[in-house]
Amino acid sequence: MKKEGNQYVPLHHFEIFCYTVIWASGILYAAYNLLDVSSSLKNSEVPDLVPGWSWLGRRKDTCPEWRIWTTFLIYSLGPWVILHSSILLIIQHYFSKISTIRDIWFITVTSLCTAYNFGLLSVLIFFGLTLIYYCLLLFGNQISIWITSILLLGVWSYNDSLFTIIDPSSDGETAYLLLLTLYWHQLRCISFSLGSLDKTKSKILPNCLHFLAYTFYLPCFFFGPIIIYKKINDTTTNTTTKSLCQRLSKLIINLIRYFFWMFFVEFILHFVYINMFLQNIKVFKHFGISALGGFGFGMGQFFFIKYTFIYGTVITIAKFDEYFDPPKPPKCISRIYLYSDMWRSFDRGLYNFLKEYIYRPSGYDSENVSLGTKLTRSFMCFAFIFIWHGLSWEVFLWTLFNFIGITLETLARVFGKTPYYLHYVKCNLSDPNERRFLAFITSPLTMLSAISNFFFFGGIDAGLSFFEAIFLLNTWIENIIIIIIFYSMCQVSIEFNHYKKSKQQ
């Protein structure tokens, strides 16, 4: 049996069916155990639970981040985005050749929205940060931009109550939203500055108004995702590709889809108490690996849907505006089995940023580079990720495990091209057996990837609890079962990815 395109090797349909049953059964069994634990607490007076929907008769878990994001997006940002897009439609229709009018509107509406919700001082801070990067363009080199960026990110990380200090009247939620916005705003400033260096080398500074318009684009201003500067659509040279009715119908359909998922998350929080488990993870880890595994899967899916709702809504609006070429929403993490695919497919905007400004400029553009160069590039990307996410221990462990995983994956790819592998493995295994072998050795890395995410999503205690459960509390039979489930997940993911690619072709 020969390999098909992109190294895909088909297996018998019955074998794939068996893998699917094993994978789905593992998830369902773990979810059942988690629901069983949650049901025993549904009417208890646990402090982290709040009154839920009356028609369900259950108490509800609460996630502060989810509550802050959805409340602000719908009630505080929503009306301003409607105003933003409505006026932009008029500008695109009557003044499509005058980009200055569009830029002024972007700056104005975002400034008014920020001032209305957070005060005028916050607007001045974002203006000041943008002007700092504009001034850095006078030096015309990457070093000054990166040194300033690292220093500023260090300041934000060690002063996470920055906006509370600047404005004592602001509460913790306001300070959190502004600090989150500041991190995203700085990425846009870095993107514009590095993307404009070619012009500054020819003694031509970019338009400051255009700089402000790019960084003050309202739909992406508070929550991201980062859309790198080269993805911007210049309305003086590009015309609208779709009619207003097509754009509007697509907008409505996608918004209905994403708000359905918001409703689904609110519904699930009545049955699965993710945040409450996180607050008491040291206690709940003793319920066994099945319940803990169900919690891990539920936590991963919860955060996936949460980010999909926020990113998907923003990306949908950006597509309607046709100002940016936005990235796709996150790919479901339950069918990602490679570290590289996780980074490439979850936050695609951040991946594009890292690839464009760190990975490629740090070495030769050619893919035929040395192993040392590839690992150096990866290290620089993860070092920036660590700094940008806040210099905390849980973020350090998350980035460390991810760097180790990417390194092992890179080494495996290099080893797969060596004469030793070609002679002793490839020559002695059929193509289907080679696929099974590769899926088997990938399974532990997939498991490590899942555990590393628990550090990021749940903190130190959640990550260590999973490590302790797997390496200290589990029996060897339980660990074999876990490996079999992850192995089946790898095979199902390979099959699903091939199906998606063949469908696109």
Side-chain angles (χ1 to χ4, degrees):
M1 192 177 293
K2 299 296 182 184
K3 289 186 179 182
E4 297 179 0
N6 196 29
Q7 300 298 309
Y8 170 75
V9 178
L11 299 177
H12 195 278
H13 292 307
F14 180 74
E15 183 176 353
I16 297 299
F17 172 77
C18 291
Y19 292 141
T20 305
V21 170
I22 293 171
W23 175 62
S25 299
I27 290 175
L28 290 175
Y29 181 71
Y32 169 78
N33 280 274
L34 179 64
L35 286 171
D36 185 51
V37 175
S38 297
S39 296
S40 66
L41 302 168
K42 65 179 181 180
N43 294 317
S44 64
E45 297 301 322
V46 179
D48 298 297
L49 300 181
V50 298
W53 294 339
S54 57
W55 58 279
L56 284 177
R58 296 177 66 101
R59 292 172 66 81
K60 173 192 167 187
D61 191 16
T62 176
C63 175
E65 187 180 55
W66 171 253
R67 177 181 54 79
I68 294 170
W69 286 15
T70 52
T71 302
F72 180 79
L73 181 66
I74 296 172
Y75 299 106
S76 300
L77 183 59
W80 288 97
V81 169
I82 294 173
L83 176 64
H84 154 89
S85 294
S86 300
I87 301 300
L88 181 60
L89 283 175
I90 298 174
I91 294 173
Q92 288 174 335
H93 184 74
Y94 293 103
F95 308 101
S96 61
K97 300 297 181 181
I98 310 176
S99 61
T100 302
I101 297 177
R102 177 204 61 198
D103 292 347
I104 291 174
W105 172 241
F106 283 173
I107 300 167
T108 302
V109 69
T110 303
S111 299
L112 290 174
C113 175
T114 307
Y116 179 82
N117 287 289
F118 304 109
L120 183 60
L121 181 60
S122 300
V123 180
L124 297 177
I125 291 173
F126 291 117
F127 266 100
L129 181 61
T130 309
L131 294 177
I132 287 174
Y133 277 90
Y134 187 78
C135 293
L136 289 174
L137 287 172
L138 297 172
F139 295 96
N141 63 79
Q142 295 186 35
I143 296 177
S144 59
I145 294 173
W146 281 116
I147 290 176
T148 303
S149 300
I150 298 303
L151 291 175
L152 287 174
L153 286 171
V155 172
W156 315 149
S157 299
Y158 283 107
N159 295 275
D160 52 5
S161 57
L162 175 69
F163 286 96
T164 306
I165 297 172
I166 294 175
D167 183 10
S169 63
S170 65
D171 57 23
E173 292 185 3
T174 299
Y176 162 75
L177 279 171
L178 286 171
L179 190 62
L180 179 68
T181 306
L182 195 63
Y183 278 106
W184 285 115
H185 191 77
Q186 188 161 354
L187 281 190
R188 291 188 290 270
C189 289
I190 295 172
S191 178
F192 188 96
S193 300
L194 295 177
S196 303
L197 281 179
D198 290 340
K199 294 181 180 179
T200 58
K201 289 178 181 178
S202 58
K203 308 301 181 183
I204 302 175
L205 281 176
N207 188 319
C208 186
L209 197 66
H210 188 53
F211 191 173
L212 287 167
Y214 164 72
T215 55
F216 275 69
Y217 179 66
L218 183 60
C220 301
F221 187 72
F222 295 99
F223 298 108
I226 173 66
I227 305 174
I228 60 176
Y229 178 62
K230 69 183 295 184
K231 298 291 185 180
I232 194 172
N233 292 324
D234 189 351
T235 54
T236 61
T237 58
N238 291 278
T239 57
T240 301
T241 57
K242 295 181 180 179
S243 67
L244 178 59
C245 288
Q246 288 177 312
R247 293 160 61 193
L248 194 58
S249 61
K250 190 72 172 178
L251 173 70
I252 294 172
I253 291 172
N254 283 332
L255 287 180
I256 291 174
R257 180 162 61 114
Y258 290 121
F259 274 87
F260 163 77
W261 285 113
M262 185 194 76
F263 173 84
F264 180 76
V265 169
E266 291 291 329
F267 178 79
I268 289 298
L269 287 177
H270 289 77
F271 295 88
V272 179
Y273 304 140
I274 300 294
N275 187 65
M276 189 268 291
F277 288 152
L278 282 176
Q279 302 303 318
N280 304 276
I281 190 66
K282 291 183 178 179
V283 175
F284 288 104
K285 71 181 178 183
H286 295 291
F287 279 91
I289 189 61
S290 298
L292 201 59
F295 164 70
F297 177 78
M299 181 175 64
Q301 291 301 311
F302 170 71
F303 282 97
F304 160 69
I305 296 175
K306 179 175 71 173
Y307 283 99
T308 298
F309 168 70
I310 297 295
Y311 281 7
T313 303
V314 169
I315 289 168
T316 295
I317 296 169
K319 285 183 176 180
F320 175 77
D321 289 343
E322 292 192 335
Y323 175 65
F324 282 118
D325 180 17
K328 295 180 181 179
K331 181 178 176 181
C332 181
I333 60 175
S334 63
R335 58 183 176 88
I336 298 177
Y337 68 102
L338 294 174
Y339 269 97
S340 56
D341 198 26
M342 176 67 78
W343 282 97
R344 188 182 298 111
S345 305
F346 189 77
D347 191 335
R348 302 172 198 254
L350 184 58
Y351 170 79
N352 290 333
F353 178 91
L354 296 172
K355 182 177 68 175
E356 184 72 22
Y357 302 118
I358 301 179
Y359 192 83
R360 284 180 176 172
S362 62
Y364 299 105
D365 289 337
S366 172
E367 290 297 322
N368 298 320
V369 296
S370 67
L371 177 62
T373 301
K374 290 182 178 180
L375 296 181
T376 302
R377 291 175 175 182
S378 296
F379 175 79
M380 293 174 66
C381 289
F382 283 108
F384 178 79
I385 286 293
F386 170 54
I387 296 170
W388 185 69
H389 275 91
L391 295 174
S392 62
W393 275 110
E394 55 265 27
V395 172
F396 171 75
L397 292 172
W398 172 64
T399 52
L400 175 63
F401 286 127
N402 274 270
F403 175 67
I404 292 173
I406 289 287
T407 300
L408 292 175
E409 188 179 321
T410 302
L411 292 174
R413 292 181 189 278
V414 172
F415 177 72
K417 298 176 181 179
T418 60
Y420 182 88
Y421 179 85
L422 296 174
H423 179 71
Y424 289 99
V425 178
K426 212 170 184 62
C427 291
N428 293 303
L429 293 177
S430 64
D431 286 347
N433 282 334
E434 185 187 4
R435 167 175 164 171
R436 297 182 186 104
F437 170 72
L438 294 176
F440 176 74
I441 63 174
T442 302
S443 302
L445 277 181
T446 306
M447 187 166 62
L448 180 64
S449 174
I451 296 175
S452 69
N453 288 329
F454 300 149
F455 281 101
F456 182 67
F457 294 141
I460 294 288
D461 288 340
L464 291 179
S465 294
F466 275 90
F467 265 106
E468 183 180 351
I470 290 173
F471 295 108
L472 297 179
L473 301 180
N474 277 5
T475 64
W476 63 272
I477 296 178
E478 288 174 324
N479 282 333
I480 288 176
I481 293 173
I482 292 172
I483 289 293
I484 291 174
I485 292 173
F486 273 99
Y487 168 79
S488 300
M489 172 193 168
C490 290
Q491 293 287 14
V492 172
S493 298
I494 292 171
E495 207 66 26
F496 190 86
N497 289 342
H498 172 70
Y499 169 76
K500 293 286 289 186
K501 289 178 181 178
S502 61
K503 190 176 179 181
Q504 292 172 357
Q505 294 173 355

